[in-house]
Amino acid sequence: MKFGVLTGGGDCPGLNPAIRAIVYRAAASGHATLGYLDGWKGVRDGLSRPLTLAEVHGLFNRGGTILGSSRTNPFAKEGDAVKVVEQLRRDEVDALIAIGGDDTLTAARDLFRRGGRVVGVPKTMDNDVGGTDWTFGFHSSVAVAVDAAERLRDTAWSHHRVVVLEVMGRHAGWVALATGLAAGADATLLPEEPYDEKTLLERVRAAANARGFALVVASEGIDLGPRRGSTGGKDDFGHELLGERQVGGELARRIQEATGIESRSAQIGHIQRGGPPELFDRILATRLGAAAVDLALAGRFGQVAVLRGSEVRGIPLDEAVASTKVVTSDWLDLLHTFEP
Ligand code: F6P
């Protein structure tokens, strides 16, 4: 059997360990692996290279992806979809493993519907893929955001300021939630809750009165109303480039205007996506990569390897891409327990 592998969408820590696990697991049963470059673009345009054990051996702790990634949507144009199917046939790939978030996995599902022999591996720093308890990339990204929050807290304390940290996460607030919880933020704003300026200002004032400074964590996906609307910039899957709206900067301006307390903001952006994967992500990526090979060897195409509790299993791609996994009310209750 010949395996193909691609990494699509935004990169995150854990992609390289997942690639490594796929190549090793396939080789253990005597199968070769072809790596497609830059996500679906590589399959569409025939850009690939064989992956050897020697090449992937040291990837257990490497950030980024050796295959490159892109947000190319192979099903945006009918002609491209045909090219993808033909290229896989030409390369004699018996099983394609698509590592990606909701967009990449939706494309994998569409390929499966056209008869493609494909299985998925979920990844994303956003942690918003349905059907899996965690996606790899999330824990590593949050560790970076928590480190940033703690550094910002030190300087806010020294200068008696309010500091707003803007984190990524698109339309799910998992990164903001975990950062706010782990870094003891005084207010954490997520897209799952409507923006409430009155409550935000109350929390900031209460923190400033108690300690002389305040830390606010804001997800890039929050809606601040007409003053911060769409940027117009969209990726190939039609997603707005949310970071360009700079909601953190806007919040700091509003807080300073309303409270008179000097305020600053920091947007850490893609810093959250680089660097070595944390322990949890290394292990999860390794388990899911190996499980995807096992699914393909068992002929379970159209499935994706996921984590449920402590168990790794396969579920239909349809189930994983049915809806975006957003922060639930029990998490929001916990978060607000610690806000002043
Ligand atoms: O989906 C991962 C993510 O990092 C989101 O949190 C963010 O909105 C988006 O990708 C940024 O995309 P890009 O790398 O195209 O700027």
Side-chain angles (χ1 to χ4, degrees):
M1 219 163 144
K2 187 172 177 188
F3 280 83
V5 58
L6 67 86
T7 51
D11 67 346
C12 69
L15 290 171
N16 278 326
I19 295 166
R20 173 178 180 266
I22 289 165
V23 175
Y24 264 82
R25 191 69 151 200
S29 309
H31 306 299
T33 305
L34 186 68
Y36 284 103
L37 309 183
D38 299 338
W40 290 106
K41 183 172 180 283
V43 191
R44 182 193 66 191
D45 300 345
L47 307 168
S48 62
R49 65 185 162 94
L51 294 173
T52 62
L53 286 180
E55 194 179 0
V56 301
H57 173 75
L59 293 184
F60 49 86
N61 65 352
R62 292 265 309 276
T65 161
I66 56 160
L67 293 175
S69 191
S70 74
R71 294 195 185 275
T72 306
N73 179 359
F75 293 98
K77 285 193 248 153
E78 184 51 35
D80 285 358
V82 171
K83 280 188 200 165
V84 163
V85 172
E86 278 177 5
Q87 189 60 47
L88 289 169
R89 193 181 36 77
R90 211 171 298 137
D91 290 335
E92 298 178 335
V93 166
D94 302 296
L96 178 68
I97 298 179
I99 310 175
D102 49 358
D103 294 330
T104 304
L105 297 178
T106 300
R109 191 270 317 267
D110 292 346
L111 178 62
F112 175 67
R113 284 182 177 171
R114 288 165 184 261
R117 292 159 60 94
V118 57
V119 297
V121 172
K123 65 84 213 173
T124 169
M125 64 160 285
D126 299 347
N127 195 40
D128 61 354
V129 176
T132 186
D133 289 353
W134 301 104
T135 52
F136 63 78
F138 172 73
H139 285 76
S140 307
S141 296
V142 171
V144 173
V146 170
D147 180 62
E150 289 180 345
R151 289 166 193 270
L152 291 169
R153 173 190 291 281
D154 287 351
T155 163
W157 178 39
S158 308
H159 289 268
H160 320 296
R161 286 172 174 161
V162 177
V163 65
V164 181
L165 169 63
E166 179 186 324
V167 298
M168 281 183 167
R170 206 171 258 166
H171 302 299
W174 294 105
V175 178
L177 170 90
T179 306
L181 270 176
D186 300 300
T188 302
L189 309 183
L190 300 86
E192 286 84 352
E193 292 185 302
Y195 175 63
D196 174 356
E197 195 153 298
K198 188 166 162 285
T199 306
L200 168 67
L201 294 175
E202 277 168 15
R203 286 179 175 146
V204 164
R205 284 196 183 100
N209 286 338
R211 291 186 301 279
F213 71 94
L215 170 68
V216 176
V217 173
S219 174
E220 63 176 356
I222 59 170
D223 183 1
L224 293 182
R227 281 170 69 185
R228 281 281 140 178
S230 161
T231 56
K234 297 220 167 123
D235 68 23
D236 208 14
F237 283 89
H239 300 296
E240 193 186 339
L241 306 175
L242 293 172
E244 289 179 19
R245 300 183 312 154
Q246 301 189 339
V247 293
E250 174 68 12
L251 280 171
R253 273 189 292 281
R254 290 186 190 188
I255 291 168
Q256 180 163 314
E257 212 174 283
T259 63
I261 309 170
E262 198 175 24
S263 302
R264 296 285 191 270
S265 67
Q267 185 189 42
I268 51 173
H270 295 83
I271 293 171
Q272 291 157 101
R273 295 226 307 248
E278 294 272 306
L279 171 66
F280 182 85
D281 287 338
R282 289 184 202 189
I283 304 294
L284 179 59
T286 301
R287 292 180 76 194
L288 295 183
V293 171
D294 294 347
L295 286 173
L297 290 174
R300 291 171 63 186
F301 297 106
Q303 298 227 328
V304 53
V306 298
L307 182 71
R308 294 273 176 91
S310 57
E311 190 196 328
V312 166
R313 64 162 83 147
I315 63 166
L317 275 162
D318 263 327
E319 192 182 325
V321 301
S323 58
T324 300
K325 187 179 74 178
V326 293
V327 174
T328 46
S329 59
D330 52 332
W331 279 110
L332 295 171
D333 281 352
L334 180 66
L335 177 69
H336 296 317
T337 307
F338 302 98
E339 292 175 333

